[in-house]
Amino acid sequence: MTEPDAEFHRRRNSRALVTAVLLGAFVLLIFFISIAKMQH
Amino acid sequence: MTDAAIPAQQLPADWRDFLALTKPRVMSLVVFTGLCGLLAAPVALPAVLGFTTVLCIALGAGAAGALNQWYEADIDALMKRTAGRPLPAGRMDRQSALHFGVGLSFLSVILLGLATNWLAAAVLAVSILFYVMIYTVWLKRRTPQNIVIGGAAGAFPPVIGWAAATGDITLLPVLMFALIFLWTPPHFWALALFIESDYARAGVPMMPVVAGERTTRVQIFLYTLPMAACALAPWAMGLAGAIYGIAALIGTALFLALSAQVGMRQSRADDGAKPERRLFYYSILYLFALFLALAVDRMMAA
């Protein structure tokens, strides 16, 4: 694999990981917002 | 994926470049004043909703920053301070920046509306549109008054925080808005005085470039006067107590002294623009301190 190929895979993987973490955090946030709105 | 080598310019942008697009350092003051607006409000939100409000203010500010960088990539490339940003440095394509900025704008406004109320969401939407359409697209390249009017965009966060908590907008958040609005010209013109050549190279009509140094110095001092009145008003009108009053009196007196020093001097080639740098950095500390004092004061009184 050439250097730009390796960099392409590294960036794609790190973006996928960050996106997954942010989506997970977003789902959790919506869950907690729903609970807070029901109690408020 | 084929085995063919990928040219460096076609690499996908790194996630750190998307983060840089949101101008995280600028965002800190916006987030802090928004948080203080929230804490100064007479109604306490549940922690999750308070956190969501601050998050949405941060996302909205990030979205506005991304759209600003999308539009200004050409002039960013001409200034030393901004040439390393993802777009002028060629680490990201413009379409990605546009999609990111628009997506983040919608996300922040809708999430804030659903979590708190639609007044707060509307003010957030207005602040993003104001920064992008009024400041970035319309004013910045046309008039030296760009940051005077454009400064309103950065003054909305405490109003958003307050509106998220209470569902209305009263005199105190309006005064917080006015304070940041009037603080912006002395803050940015002090910066423009020591990076003047950078703005001139990019053709941005900042006050020192268009009207000259002398006029800019006088304007810095003149804007500080109504700013001082706005800073003291919450205490004078009984909307804040002694903690804020003392902080406002001392902090504003020092601000006036520093801006008077900048207003009365002429720069020399060998002085390193020290008074201008001092005023610029002090102005950041001043706004942080005043909003912190206001939030603490109001929370202790509640």
Side-chain angles (χ1 to χ4, degrees):
Chain A
M1 197 185 291
T2 61
E3 200 172 306
D5 279 337
E7 181 62 14
F8 180 93
H9 286 290
R10 190 195 66 75
R11 288 192 186 188
R12 196 181 58 177
N13 291 344
S14 71
R15 274 174 61 162
L17 182 66
V18 170
T19 307
V21 169
L22 289 179
L23 275 176
F26 183 72
V27 170
L28 274 177
L29 181 64
I30 297 294
F31 173 71
F32 285 118
I33 288 173
S34 307
I35 292 174
K37 294 282 278 185
M38 281 189 282
Q39 291 174 344
H40 190 48
Chain B
M1 175 63 54
T2 66
D3 286 340
I6 300 155
Q9 67 269 24
Q10 287 179 15
L11 287 171
D14 194 85
W15 66 269
R16 292 173 194 84
D17 292 325
F18 284 99
L19 183 65
L21 216 53
T22 63
K23 301 187 183 177
R25 273 192 297 178
V26 176
M27 198 196 286
S28 60
L29 196 57
V30 166
V31 167
F32 184 75
T33 55
L35 174 66
C36 289
L38 184 73
L39 294 175
V43 181
L45 274 182
V48 174
L49 301 185
F51 169 78
T52 306
T53 301
V54 175
L55 177 71
C56 288
I57 292 172
L59 293 178
L67 291 170
N68 169 273
Q69 289 192 41
W70 164 74
Y71 189 79
E72 292 190 340
D74 56 338
I75 55 174
D76 279 351
L78 300 172
M79 295 195 286
K80 262 188 290 183
R81 189 172 59 88
T82 53
R85 285 177 175 173
L87 288 170
R91 298 195 305 273
M92 182 186 285
D93 63 291
R94 290 191 76 209
Q95 200 178 33
S96 297
L98 176 63
H99 290 171
F100 179 69
V102 171
L104 215 52
S105 300
F106 277 100
L107 175 71
S108 61
V109 171
I110 292 169
L111 185 60
L112 185 60
L114 291 173
T116 61
N117 59 70
W118 292 101
L119 174 66
V123 180
L124 179 62
V126 167
S127 72
I128 296 170
L129 284 171
F130 199 97
Y131 187 72
V132 176
M133 302 308 294
I134 307 289
Y135 172 69
T136 304
V137 175
W138 184 33
L139 296 171
K140 183 160 182 182
R141 299 178 196 225
R142 283 181 174 80
T143 166
Q145 298 298 321
N146 48 19
I147 53 109
V148 177
I149 305 163
F156 280 112
V159 183
I160 298 167
W162 180 286
T166 63
D168 61 16
I169 296 170
T170 56
L171 182 59
L172 185 57
V174 172
L175 286 172
M176 289 191 263
F177 175 93
L179 173 60
I180 303 177
F181 180 68
L182 293 164
W183 164 91
T184 307
H187 169 73
F188 276 108
W189 285 335
L191 172 72
L193 280 174
F194 60 86
I195 56 164
E196 181 185 342
S197 58
D198 231 12
Y199 281 123
R201 195 180 313 132
V204 178
M206 287 299 280
M207 186 68 85
V209 177
V210 176
E213 188 186 313
R214 185 73 241 136
T215 307
T216 307
R217 290 177 182 282
V218 172
Q219 295 270 336
I220 284 176
F221 182 67
L222 290 179
Y223 269 97
T224 308
L225 300 175
M227 186 210 75
C230 271
L232 297 175
W235 172 65
M237 297 171 87
L239 300 169
I243 295 173
Y244 177 78
I246 292 167
L249 275 171
I250 296 170
T252 307
L254 190 52
F255 199 117
L256 278 167
L258 291 175
S259 71
Q261 190 188 12
V262 168
M264 286 188 291
R265 76 188 281 273
Q266 274 293 338
S267 65
R268 293 190 308 271
D270 60 340
D271 66 5
K274 275 188 190 154
E276 291 75 23
R277 288 177 196 274
R278 207 178 296 139
L279 176 61
F280 174 74
Y281 291 114
Y282 175 73
S283 66
I284 298 170
L285 177 72
Y286 171 78
L287 207 64
F288 266 111
L290 234 57
F291 273 84
L292 178 67
L294 183 63
V296 170
D297 189 307
R298 299 267 309 177
M299 285 167 73
M300 285 180 75

